Amino acid sequence: MHGAAVLHDTGWGHPEHQGRLRAVASALKNDLVALHGHVEQIAPPPACEDDLLLVHTEEHIAAVRSAVRDAAKRGRPVGIDADTLVSGASWEAALGTAGAGLEAVRCVAEGRLQNAFVAARPPGHHATPDRAMGFCLFNNIAVAARSLRERHGAERVLIVDWDVHHGNGTQDAFYGDPAVFFLSLHQYPHYPGTGAANETGRGRGEGFTLNVPLPAQTPRRDYLRVYRMALESAVSRCAPDFILVSSGFDVLAGDPLGGQLLEPGDLHEMTLGVMDAAERCCDGRVVVFLEGGYDPERTGAGCVSVVRALAGIPNTAGRDGVTDDWT
């Protein structure tokens, strides 16, 4: 996490408020006895505009910068659209968060870390190459994926997105690109209205997008079974050199913007599934990005479960009798 991420101020009445990262930091701090010696915290440098240009247009970057300047001048949050707000500190926060993602993939690609978790804020997977939306300013995971391709020699990248909302921005960034496979499991119909099963790619990218729309209240056992099958299909079709995950904790039961039933322990198992796939195809190279999650306490518990999985530590959250076999 970049230190500026908590400065992005949308107001406490907004679902994506500053308390989200505070809850995550508190939950991880409370788990330090287990995590000590297994997890290293890194202070990343911020991204620069050239990094953002790996995915985003100059016009989009200028529009976000302009909105942030307007917010600073007014001394209050300003809306880019009805849902997506910026404050005077949002430019620094967005560059810091994108930089955290770039540093994470760099460290893993160079073998300095085995895997990584990026506490990203603002989130990113709704930001398209030319539009901020859905609380997202820049697409952190897409910038990281493009950096892996252009700077770190990755031939194929798999992005797994289990946020309760479809990652339309990530899909748009790579819809015609056969080098980046996008797998999304998401509630449907739901915001932003994209992610139908027949959205499978365009041109050379045809077949490199796999959308798995799921109805609200999908039973946990069914969700996990479908997830396992979709992940195996994506890995076999993509044969990735690197796996990135958009981990939306709004997929957890009780999230105010979601409608699914997963528990933190399920995310531990799902992360282990990704790690197992990565061990088989890309020497374990995995980086997980925080996306949604709007019940701060539940989001914190979910982050602990994911980080424990990445660190090779057993989970303590429990799975209420769901015992799918991941081998």
Side-chain angles (χ1 to χ4, degrees):
M1 178 182 75
H2 191 277
V6 296
L7 302 178
H8 172 58
D9 182 9
T10 58
W12 287 100
H14 192 277
E16 205 288 290
H17 57 70
Q18 292 168 297
R20 296 180 66 237
L21 276 192
R22 294 178 186 178
V24 169
S26 177
L28 291 171
K29 181 179 179 180
N30 289 340
D31 204 43
L32 279 181
V33 172
L35 296 177
H36 181 70
H38 298 273
V39 175
E40 177 184 356
Q41 186 172 348
I42 293 177
C48 64
E49 289 193 37
D50 283 345
D51 296 319
L52 301 180
L53 286 168
L54 291 169
V55 170
H56 295 287
T57 65
E58 291 181 355
E59 293 77 11
H60 171 62
I61 295 169
V64 173
R65 183 194 284 274
S66 177
V68 171
R69 286 174 174 165
D70 187 26
K73 185 176 181 180
R74 298 186 185 204
R76 60 175 176 80
V78 168
I80 293 178
D81 63 22
D83 299 316
T84 309
L85 306 181
V86 296
S87 66
S90 295
W91 181 256
E92 183 182 0
L95 287 176
T97 291
L102 290 169
E103 182 68 9
V105 298
R106 181 186 303 116
C107 287
V108 175
E110 294 176 354
R112 288 185 280 156
L113 295 176
Q114 184 175 358
N115 54 50
F117 178 83
V118 181
R121 183 173 183 270
H125 75 151
H126 291 309
T128 73
D130 60 2
R131 180 185 177 192
M133 61 178 290
F135 314 159
C136 304
L137 304 181
F138 302 116
N139 197 314
N140 307 304
I141 201 167
V143 170
R146 191 63 55 77
S147 177
L148 282 170
R149 292 273 297 120
E150 298 191 8
R151 299 169 177 172
H152 300 291
E155 295 185 9
R156 294 169 304 278
V157 178
L158 169 61
I159 298 177
V160 180
D161 189 327
W162 61 57
D163 192 280
V164 79
H165 305 97
H166 179 243
N168 61 298
T170 310
Q171 176 171 294
D172 285 359
F174 302 113
Y175 205 53
D177 187 350
V180 179
F181 193 107
F182 179 59
L183 165 63
S184 176
L185 293 92
H186 49 272
Q187 189 170 308
Y188 188 89
H190 202 33
Y191 180 89
T194 54
N198 62 1
E199 297 172 21
T200 57
R202 178 183 60 247
R204 295 179 60 240
E206 175 66 40
F208 290 88
T209 293
L210 176 57
N211 282 305
V212 184
L214 295 165
Q217 305 292 305
T218 296
R220 292 165 60 203
R221 187 182 300 277
D222 294 345
Y223 188 106
L224 295 170
R225 175 179 53 81
V226 171
Y227 166 76
R228 182 173 63 246
M229 292 189 299
L231 178 63
E232 288 303 312
S233 177
V235 169
S236 65
R237 289 157 63 180
C238 174
D241 301 310
F242 213 106
I243 301 179
L244 305 178
V245 178
S246 276
S247 182
F249 297 92
D250 45 11
V251 77
L252 293 172
D255 190 274
L257 298 189
Q260 294 297 0
L261 303 173
L262 297 186
E263 293 295 330
D266 298 323
L267 296 184
H268 186 274
E269 293 295 330
M270 291 164 66
T271 305
L272 290 178
V274 169
M275 294 171 65
D276 177 69
E279 286 293 336
R280 289 184 276 119
C281 65
C282 54
D283 295 326
R285 290 189 287 266
V286 174
V287 175
V288 179
F289 288 70
L290 169 65
E291 296 285 0
Y294 306 103
D295 179 322
E297 183 177 352
R298 296 280 282 167
T299 297
C303 286
V304 167
S305 288
V306 169
V307 170
R308 275 179 167 250
L310 292 171
I313 300 171
N315 188 57
T316 58
R319 297 186 58 215
D320 299 337
V322 179
T323 57
D324 294 81
D325 183 3
W326 289 81
T327 60

